[in-house]
Amino acid sequence: MADEKVAETFTAPGDDVERLNFAFSWWHCLPASRAETPSVAAGTALRADTVRQWADQAGFARLGVLPVDHVFWRFYELSG
C-alpha cells in the first residue's frame, strides 16, 4: 500500500512537501472520499498510526513500513 509521505505527527507549519500533500488532500481527496458511503472522510496524507489502526481493524496481523526512500510516498506491507 502507498500513501503520501508526511511526518509521523502533525507539527505546524509542515515542510513544503507535507503542505503540498495536504493541499491535494483538502482540495481533492477529502471531497472524493466523502462522496462514498460509508466514509471515514479521512482524505489522504494519512499518518502511519492511522494506517496501523485501520490495518488492525481490517484483520491484518502486521503492517510494516518498507525501506523505500521517496520524497512523496511512503510504502507499507500488510500481511497476515
Side-chain angles (χ1 to χ4, degrees):
M1 164 185 166
D3 192 34
E4 280 76 6
K5 186 177 183 178
V6 294
E8 289 290 323
T9 58
F10 176 75
T11 303
D15 65 21
D16 289 344
V17 172
E18 182 152 337
R19 292 166 73 184
L20 176 68
N21 283 329
F22 273 93
F24 289 142
S25 178
W26 190 82
W27 281 103
H28 172 72
C29 302
L30 180 59
S33 71
R34 290 182 57 116
E36 301 294 324
T37 303
S39 172
V40 295
T44 188
L46 303 173
R47 309 281 174 199
D49 285 343
T50 301
V51 176
R52 282 186 190 92
Q53 178 185 356
W54 290 351
D56 288 345
Q57 291 173 357
F60 289 97
R62 182 179 172 283
L63 176 113
V65 178
L66 297 174
V68 177
D69 186 24
H70 195 278
V71 69
F72 290 112
W73 296 98
R74 179 178 291 121
F75 297 91
Y76 299 93
E77 178 181 32
L78 298 154
S79 63

